[in-house]
Every structure is written in C-alpha cells, then in structure tokens.
Amino acid sequence: MTVATVPLRILIGKVGLDGHDRGVKLIARALRDAGMEVIYTGLHQSPEQIVNTAIQEDVDAIGLSVLSGAHNTLFRRVLELLSEQGAENIVVFGGGIIPNEDVPALKEAGVKALFGPGTSLEDIVRFVKELPTSR
C-alpha cells in the first residue's frame, strides 16, 4: 500500500513594474516538471495581490522575481503583509538582480533564499523540494 503525498504548492510572482518574465517562466516550468503545483500570477502584481493569491491558493511558498531594483521594498512588503494576515508559515524566496550587499538584510527580514542570474534550475528545484509543507 502506498500513501499519496501532497505536492508542494508554489506561487511564482512578478511583483512591481518589472516586465521581464522569461526567467520566471522557466522556473515555474522547472518546478512544475519536478512535481509541484505552480501558480504563476503574471506580470505587474502588487504585494497585496501576491499575498492575497498565496493565501487563497493555500501555498507553501512564494517565489518572487524582481529585476527592477525595488527588491528591498517589495520583498519586505510581501513579508509584512504575510505577517499581518497570520501567514508567516508561507516561505518567501526569490531571485533577480539583487546586489550582494542587499542579500543579508533581506534574509534577516525573512526571505529564505535568493537566487541570482546563472543559478541552475536544479539548485532552485532542490531548494524548493526541501521546504516543509505548511498544510
């Protein structure tokens, strides 16, 4: 007898005014191909839209892509909104063009991991697979 496992549910979002989505679509596809349920919110989402969707979809994690330079504001706002909604159990990770000097403060604020340009899809999939489920 085998026990069915519940796949991880991951929301992938492009938050802010950034219109570059090639990389985030590759990540969404890699996570899907690895057996996860992926919700891709599309371009130009606000932090409020991301958090509302994450809660409605009962996700385990939110992966944000930010290439606009607004990462410090946008990641922190998502974390703040999750806290306000009592959803701190949803893991936040991300990627994009994030200067190395900004990484420690974002991690201290609660971002679990940040992946820069050139990170392999296998490394991102491995990270996500190791996350605990919140359901």
Side-chain angles (χ1 to χ4, degrees):
M1 174 187 222
T2 60
V3 177
T5 59
V6 177
L8 287 168
R9 289 178 60 82
I10 310 298
L11 182 142
I12 300 295
K14 288 294 295 181
V15 65
L17 299 177
D18 178 10
H20 299 89
D21 64 351
R22 181 175 180 255
V24 77
K25 286 179 178 177
L26 289 172
I27 290 166
R29 183 175 303 133
L31 294 174
R32 181 203 64 201
D33 290 351
M36 296 167 221
E37 292 182 12
V38 177
I39 298 100
Y40 174 53
T41 60
L43 294 171
H44 309 300
Q45 299 293 297
S46 70
E48 290 79 8
Q49 289 170 310
I50 294 290
V51 170
N52 288 338
T53 302
I55 291 169
Q56 288 171 2
E57 293 288 343
D58 191 27
V59 301
D60 298 295
I62 298 171
L64 298 175
S65 172
V66 180
L67 298 170
S68 65
H71 50 274
N72 287 317
T73 302
L74 295 171
F75 277 101
R76 283 188 173 87
R77 182 66 179 144
V78 167
L79 291 163
E80 179 182 285
L81 290 166
L82 288 170
S83 179
E84 288 174 8
Q85 296 293 322
E88 300 94 339
N89 60 321
I90 298 174
V91 173
V92 175
F93 66 97
I97 307 299
I98 300 170
N100 289 336
E101 58 267 17
D102 291 346
V103 171
L106 288 170
K107 285 187 174 182
E108 186 176 314
V111 178
K112 184 78 170 172
L114 292 161
F115 301 99
T119 303
S120 74
L121 292 174
E122 293 82 13
D123 287 346
I124 296 168
V125 168
R126 186 177 316 109
F127 164 80
V128 175
K129 280 186 169 184
E130 293 173 358
L131 294 175
T133 63
S134 61
R135 293 172 280 130

